[in-house]
Amino acid sequence: MIAANRLTGVKAGSGFYTLETDGPVVRLHFLTDDIVRVRASFDRAFAEESYTLVLTAWEDRLDALLAGERRRSIP
């Protein structure tokens, strides 16, 4: 198991913050005043996949599957 024991850096990205640790990399996306998306990666790759989220701020490969239900929080 990989665990984060120490924060080693913070970087601002385009619409998110990246938290570098001695374990996984964590990204915080502030989508609205009430919704924060938290993602963690153990291989430092962040493939865009929303699974069954119907309110998103990003495009991903499941958009076509959920086209009837999905909408964007940022037009």
Side-chain angles (χ1 to χ4, degrees):
M1 177 171 78
I2 300 172
N5 296 303
R6 185 172 32 98
L7 181 65
T8 59
V10 178
K11 297 177 184 174
S14 179
F16 60 88
Y17 287 90
T18 300
L19 308 177
E20 299 279 344
T21 75
D22 59 347
V25 176
V26 179
R27 283 194 179 162
L28 303 175
H29 298 258
F30 296 92
L31 303 178
T32 70
D33 289 344
D34 300 316
I35 300 172
V36 177
R37 180 184 190 203
V38 179
R39 301 183 69 199
S41 175
F42 297 96
D43 63 4
R44 301 195 175 282
F46 286 93
E48 197 55 70
E49 297 175 329
S50 300
Y51 304 101
T52 60
L53 294 177
V54 294
L55 176 64
T56 69
W58 54 87
E59 295 180 9
D60 70 40
R61 67 185 179 101
L62 297 178
D63 282 346
L65 178 67
L66 299 170
E69 295 87 23
R70 187 167 276 180
R71 58 190 179 91
R72 300 275 184 259
S73 64
I74 301 172

